[in-house]
Amino acid sequence: MDAITLTRPDDWHLHLRDGAALEATVGHSAAQMGRAIIMPNLTPPVTTAAQAEAYRERILAALPAGVALEPLMTLYLTDTTPPEEIERARQSGVVKAVKLYPAGATTNSASGVTDLARCDNTLAALAESGMPLLVHGEVTDADVDIFDREAAFLERVLEPLLKRHPGLSVVCEHITTAQAADFVLAAGDNVAATVTPQHLLLNRNDMLVGGIRPHRYCLPILKRERHRRALIKAVTSGSRKFFLGTDSAPHAQGDKESACGCAGVFSAPAALELYATAFEQAGALDRLEAFASHNGADFYGLARNADTVTLERRDWQLPESHAYADGRRIVPMGAGETLGWKLAAG
Ligand SMILES: NC(=O)N[C@@H](CC(=O)O)C(=O)O
Ligand SMILES: [Zn+2]
Ligand SMILES: [Zn+2]
């Protein structure tokens, strides 16, 4: 097979940032994706429908000429988000989901939720609205090891949450463990998950053996090989609960190559090629289209994209870095490596 043509994919978990960083990153996603769920963890975060509408306008204004990307906006849930804001978000027509960051769990999560019990009325309104809750599923308790934080979240937070709000749709974002894959598979149709390219292609040795590789550091952190295999099994299983969400999370090169480096992998420039590599390694290229282009739209109740993209089989080398904000550079996932699939020019 020398080429595969698929329905144009969507990215159901994407960080574009703002200002100059937004201008530097949005074109990479637009070249590949039809739509993207835009993460709200700006500083300050996007907590109201009005802020989401304004951010959407900035994204559209930052798009390079000749490419399109439909931003699907999200609200950042806080301890004090009122139920009325959920209704305003739904009525806006541009907000498609609400994002839960446990306070302190990840980049720009300081304004996140400290105790979900405080959000019960708002979560009831969310369940009523039909919009999903997108969760960064890690506990932040100091006594829980960083490699165990996702599994602990499932038991301590998510299971009780779904019991309290059985009508709530939940997307477990960027899942990294066998426990999370099993949890999603066993849950009702209201629970789904996104999976990143790094968690399908890399394990924690790839980050830590033979030298520390800061560009592979993200949250939730890369796990053991058995978890990577469980994720591959889940996304190639034929289950419609798993879909593409790159979690492409740009940080300037100097902020990653630092004594206290930021979490986040910038995968947008070659996202589809990276996923294709993972699916091909698993002997499941025929399952790529459902994961990348069907399952997410179906879960969100949106039409699948009408146009297609083509991946061609040819070796090409990923750039060492790309231009980023303020004259700085950004290092993409797989920098300098050779991939065997390339998205054909649109
Ligand atoms: N994934 C990451 O490591 N970082 C993300 C935040 C997030 O998705 O948790 C970021 O905004 O940089
Ligand atoms: Zn996250
Ligand atoms: Zn993210």
Side-chain angles (χ1 to χ4, degrees), residues 18 29 40-41 49 67 71 104 131 167 173 177 231 240 249 257 286-287:
D18 213 342
S29 292
N41 61 333
V67 289
M131 291 188 293
E173 298 292 335
T177 57
L231 298 177
R240 302 175 62 213
E257 298 170 9
D286 58 323
R287 294 273 157 94

Side-chain angles (χ1 to χ4, degrees), residues 212-265:
I212 187 161
R213 289 163 212 269
H215 298 289
R216 294 175 172 175
Y217 171 64
C218 67
L219 291 170
I221 198 158
L222 293 169
K223 304 295 193 300
R224 291 176 180 276
E225 175 64 6
R226 82 173 173 87
H227 294 292
R228 190 191 70 81
R229 283 174 195 258
L231 298 177
I232 288 284
K233 193 170 160 212
V235 300
T236 60
S237 67
S239 164
R240 302 175 62 213
K241 287 167 158 261
F242 300 95
F243 38 88
L244 185 158
T246 60
D247 189 24
S248 178
H251 294 275
Q253 182 167 13
D255 293 339
K256 298 280 299 169
E257 298 170 9
S258 156
C260 184
C262 294
V265 172

